């Protein structure tokens, strides 16, 4: 008799589901001696199926906590499909039904972007000038529903009018800031979640020269001319009678004019002398380290030391630190399910978030997260990221990921780099993403991956039937690399050898098979802890320790 399956599989599930929120119960008829059950199909790995020994029913629950934003924005339709197989009398029998579960979006994500759609600049002397029209982005909410608010202390100079237009407050200008770019902190809200952004406003000069007013001119009174001397006529000689010689008049010189006066008006009294302003010294030093993290993501951790001093006084120091994460689709799902956590994010004072389409063409998204915290007067998150982007070594390292997509995304998020900050940069292991050929269907790389998986897990090469079946499943998109690994781990051939195996024994055998040597005890204890805490599962371990080209360098958390 054929296998008959009846019961209810809820057709929808909300994201951020908790234990007990969604459950399917199916009743099996037509076969006897059922000893095991498993799910099949495209999304079988996202749900767990167990056989209830007391009722004989199949119980299906989510394997993780789902995050709608890991698959797209609020308008994206996300469907999960799977089927059911049972093991009876030593053979696996597949049911004829395929189940579809649609994930429903919940407004749980904060706004992710903020930009000007028009404007973005203002003249320095424009009192109350309009700057530009704002537009935010939020995967959970339409753009028209977002609201904006200028944060303190910037709200003393700027305000929002008409809902989304940024302007200077009435009577306020930005004199003495011409030719600079000023950042304005703006809060964007979707009605439930808020995010803060530093938005650049370009302040334009009103003339061709620097707008700092010149000092007042010193007016000097012209010198007074002396009174002109009256003309002096020479004396007339008296008539002379011959033979006497006429007396000769002595030469009369005109009176000398006084020397030209160069005297100025008396200067105004001097103001009391003020001590000179001491010179201000500032310096910032950045230290950063980049490496692979989780199961294929990239992490960059940084610390900044900002010192400031006036004159000869001892400098004051302010420290800040932060993290940049470039998360793959798989790691986003791990975070959504609660299997992976980001402990440093909870205490962050600043955070930036950007989603970009995945370069593998899968329709998923890559998630860029950056956060920071620090002391007052310390380098902020945007300043640190710009300082890192100004370093050529950092640019070269980040440019290795996903054909430069990470570097371009970061430049889009925070703007051009600042090469004035010295950066001490270190790299731990290769930063390149896993070979896309190992996960993309089709081509010889897939055949190599199937062969490697069989050799690693089943200790044999795949036969022609195995290659045809698995190549077809990968080429049609029915399975991906992770699903293939899970299928081999759940196969009767694998279970006949490894059933009941401890995590330590599993990891040791996996590493020995993949690398032909014993696993390092420290590495072993780290992975045992990850498996026991359910931060990763065995498929993760196989993909990273057994099948990844970079082996130990992909250790989660490094």
């Amino acid at each position: 008799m054929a296998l008959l399956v009846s019961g209810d599989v809820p057709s929808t599930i909300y994201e951020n589901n908790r234990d007990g929120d969604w459950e399917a119960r199916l009743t099996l008829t037509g076969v006897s001696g059922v000893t095991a059950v498993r799910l099949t199909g495209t999304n079988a790995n996202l749900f767990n199926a167990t056989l209830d020994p007391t009722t004989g029913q199949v119980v299906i629950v989510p394997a993780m906590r789902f995050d709608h934003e890991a698959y797209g924005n609020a308008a994206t339709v996300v469907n999960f499909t799977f089927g059911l197989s049972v093991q009876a009398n030593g053979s696996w029998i597949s049911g004829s039904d395929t189940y579809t579960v649609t994930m429903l979006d919940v407004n749980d994500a904060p706004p992710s972007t903020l930009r000007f759609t028009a404007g973005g600049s203002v003249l320095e002397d424009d009192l109350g000038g309009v700057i530009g029209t704002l537009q935010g982005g939020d995967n959970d909410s339409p753009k028209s529903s977002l609201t904006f608010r200028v944060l303190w202390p910037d709200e003393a100079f700027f305000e929002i009018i008409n809902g989304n237009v940024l302007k200077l407050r009435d009577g306020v200008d930005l004199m003495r800031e011409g030719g600079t770019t000023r950042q304005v902190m703006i809060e964007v809200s979707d009605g439930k979640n808020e995010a803060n952004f530093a938005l650049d406003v370009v302040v334009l000069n009103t003339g061709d020269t620097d707008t700092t007013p010149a000092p007042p001119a010193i007016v000097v009174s012209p010198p007074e001319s002396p009174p002109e001397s009256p003309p002096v006529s020479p004396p007339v000689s008296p008539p002379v009678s011959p033979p006497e010689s006429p007396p000769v008049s002595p030469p009369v010189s005109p009176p000398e004019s006084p020397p030209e006066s160069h005297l100025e008006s008396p200067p105004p009294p001097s103001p009391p002398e003020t001590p000179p302003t001491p010179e201000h010294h500032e310096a910032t030093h950045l230290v950063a380290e980049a490496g692979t993290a989780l199961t294929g993501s990239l992490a960059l951790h940084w610390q900044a030391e900002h010192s400031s001093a006036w004159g000869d006084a001892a400098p004051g120091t302010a420290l800040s630190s932060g993290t940049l994460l470039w998360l793959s689709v798989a790691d986003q799902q791990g975070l959504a399910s609660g299997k992976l956590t980001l402990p440093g994010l909870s205490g962050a004072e600043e955070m930036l978030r950007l989603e970009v389409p995945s370069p593998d063409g899968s329709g998923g998204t890559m998630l860029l997260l950056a956060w920071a915290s620090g002391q007052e007067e310390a380098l902020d998150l945007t300043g640190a990221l710009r300082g890192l982007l100004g370093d050529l070594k950092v640019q070269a390292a980040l440019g290795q990921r996903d054909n430069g997509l990470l570097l371009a995304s970061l430049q889009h998020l925070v703007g051009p780099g600042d090469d004035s900050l010295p950066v001490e940069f270190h790299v731990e292991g290769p930063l390149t993403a896993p070979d896309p050929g190992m996960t993309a269907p089709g081509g010889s790389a897939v055949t190599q991956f199937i062969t490697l998986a069989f050799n690693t897990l089943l200790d044999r090469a795949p036969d022609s039937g195995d290659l045809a079946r698995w190549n077809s499943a990968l080429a049609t998109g029915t399975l991906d690399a992770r699903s293939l690994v899970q299928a081999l781990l759940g196969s009767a051939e694998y279970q006949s050898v490894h059933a009941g195996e401890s995590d330590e024994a599993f990891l040791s055998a996996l590493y020995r098979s993949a690398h032909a040597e014993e696993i390092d005890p420290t590495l072993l204890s780290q992975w045992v802890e990850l498996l026991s805490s359910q931060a990763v599962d065995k498929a993760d371990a196989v993909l990273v320790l057994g099948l990844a080209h970079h082996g130990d360098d992909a250790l989660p958390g490094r």
Side-chain angles (χ1 to χ4, degrees):
M1 183 179 294
L3 171 65
L4 299 177
V5 182
S6 61
D8 178 41
V9 176
S11 60
T12 59
I13 182 173
Y14 282 99
E15 68 168 327
N16 304 324
N17 51 289
R18 297 169 298 180
D19 292 343
D21 285 353
W22 189 98
E23 182 182 88
R25 284 187 171 268
L26 302 176
T27 301
L28 308 176
T29 57
V31 295
S32 59
V34 175
T35 56
V37 296
R38 70 183 181 192
L39 299 179
T40 60
T42 305
N43 304 116
N45 61 312
L46 302 181
F47 294 82
N48 292 328
T50 57
L51 184 64
D52 189 334
T54 59
T55 64
Q57 290 183 316
V58 178
V59 180
I60 304 175
V61 297
M64 62 181 64
R65 181 177 297 174
F66 297 120
D67 181 13
H68 193 279
E69 287 69 49
Y71 298 86
N73 58 30
T76 304
V77 178
V78 181
N79 291 326
F80 302 132
T81 59
F82 54 85
L84 178 67
S85 293
V86 303
Q87 187 179 43
N89 302 317
S91 299
W92 284 97
I93 305 171
S94 298
S96 59
D97 295 328
T98 298
Y99 306 99
T100 300
V101 180
T102 301
M103 178 166 54
L104 302 180
D105 184 43
V106 175
N107 184 9
D108 65 332
S112 56
T113 60
L114 176 64
R115 65 186 182 93
F116 284 112
T117 57
S121 61
V122 65
L123 290 172
E124 62 178 345
D125 61 353
D126 189 0
L127 287 169
V130 174
I131 298 169
T133 303
L134 304 175
Q135 184 182 83
D138 188 333
N139 284 335
D140 278 337
S141 306
K143 293 182 176 65
S144 59
S145 68
L146 301 179
T147 60
F148 308 94
R149 181 172 70 91
V150 182
L151 300 178
W152 181 259
D154 292 324
E155 66 175 343
F157 299 88
F158 303 87
E159 63 179 344
I160 304 292
I161 62 171
N162 300 332
N164 65 341
V165 176
L166 179 67
K167 68 177 289 288
L168 289 168
R169 287 190 175 275
D170 292 342
V172 173
D173 61 30
L174 297 178
M175 288 300 293
R176 300 180 183 271
E177 295 189 36
T180 67
T181 298
R182 173 166 178 159
Q183 288 192 333
V184 181
M185 289 300 299
I186 298 178
E187 177 189 88
V188 185
S189 173
D190 60 14
K192 184 177 179 181
N193 307 288
E194 297 82 30
N196 300 335
F197 299 89
L199 191 63
D200 285 345
V201 173
V202 178
V203 185
L204 302 176
N205 279 328
T206 54
D208 295 333
T209 59
D210 187 18
T211 56
T212 303
I218 299 175
V219 179
V220 179
S221 301
E224 295 182 2
S225 301
E228 294 185 4
S229 302
V232 179
S233 300
V236 179
S237 302
V240 179
S241 298
E244 291 181 3
S245 298
V248 178
S249 301
V252 178
S253 299
E256 294 183 0
S257 299
E260 185 179 351
S261 174
H262 293 281
L263 297 177
E264 301 177 355
S265 299
S270 300
E273 292 188 4
T274 57
T277 302
E279 188 176 356
H280 187 215
H281 305 279
E282 284 188 290
T284 302
H285 183 68
L286 268 169
V287 178
E289 179 179 281
T292 52
L294 305 178
T295 56
S297 299
L298 179 142
L300 187 151
H301 306 284
W302 58 268
Q303 182 170 340
E305 179 181 293
H306 177 75
S307 59
S308 174
W310 291 94
D312 297 330
T317 301
L319 300 178
S320 58
S321 61
T323 297
L324 179 146
L325 269 183
W326 179 245
L327 287 168
S328 64
V329 174
D331 284 336
Q332 292 178 56
Q333 293 174 349
L335 289 172
S337 68
K339 291 184 177 180
L340 299 177
T341 59
L342 303 177
L345 187 58
S346 59
E349 298 170 355
E350 298 178 87
M351 188 189 81
L352 294 174
R353 171 191 173 104
L354 179 68
E355 291 187 11
V356 295
S358 176
D360 60 10
S362 64
T365 58
M366 302 295 289
L367 177 61
L368 177 62
L369 286 177
W371 64 88
S373 59
Q375 300 169 312
E376 188 176 355
E377 304 299 329
L379 187 66
D380 63 5
L381 175 57
T382 302
L385 295 179
R386 286 180 174 171
L388 292 170
L389 284 177
D391 185 83
L392 295 179
K393 292 182 179 179
V394 177
Q395 291 183 28
L398 299 185
Q400 298 177 32
R401 282 304 295 253
D402 301 303
N403 295 321
L405 181 61
L406 168 56
L407 179 61
S409 301
L410 187 57
Q411 290 171 333
H412 172 77
L413 186 62
V414 301
D418 178 5
D419 59 5
S420 66
L421 299 182
V423 178
E424 182 181 336
F425 182 60
H426 306 278
V427 175
E428 289 292 331
L431 303 181
T432 53
D435 184 357
M438 301 303 291
T439 55
S444 60
V446 173
T447 299
Q448 295 173 8
F449 180 76
I450 295 171
T451 302
L452 181 61
F454 267 73
N455 284 326
T456 301
L457 297 176
L458 303 182
D459 198 25
R460 68 173 179 86
D463 57 32
S464 58
D466 293 325
L467 289 175
R469 180 170 63 257
W470 294 113
N471 258 312
S472 174
L474 290 169
T476 59
T478 305
L479 291 178
D480 56 14
R482 180 183 177 83
S483 300
L484 168 62
V485 170
Q486 289 181 318
L488 293 182
L489 288 172
S491 67
E493 183 177 354
Y494 181 87
Q495 291 296 325
S496 65
V497 177
H498 300 281
E501 189 175 49
S502 67
D503 289 343
E504 184 172 347
F506 162 75
L507 292 167
S508 298
L510 170 66
Y511 197 89
R512 189 182 308 114
S513 174
H515 301 277
E517 63 182 17
E518 295 300 323
I519 187 171
D520 179 78
T522 302
L523 182 63
L524 175 62
S525 64
Q526 290 173 330
W527 274 94
V528 168
E529 182 179 353
L530 289 170
L531 287 174
S532 62
S533 65
Q534 298 185 341
V536 298
D537 58 18
K538 288 186 175 181
D540 294 324
V542 173
L543 289 170
V544 175
L545 287 181
L547 305 183
H549 291 311
H550 42 268
D552 298 349
D553 292 326
L555 175 64
R558 286 188 61 177

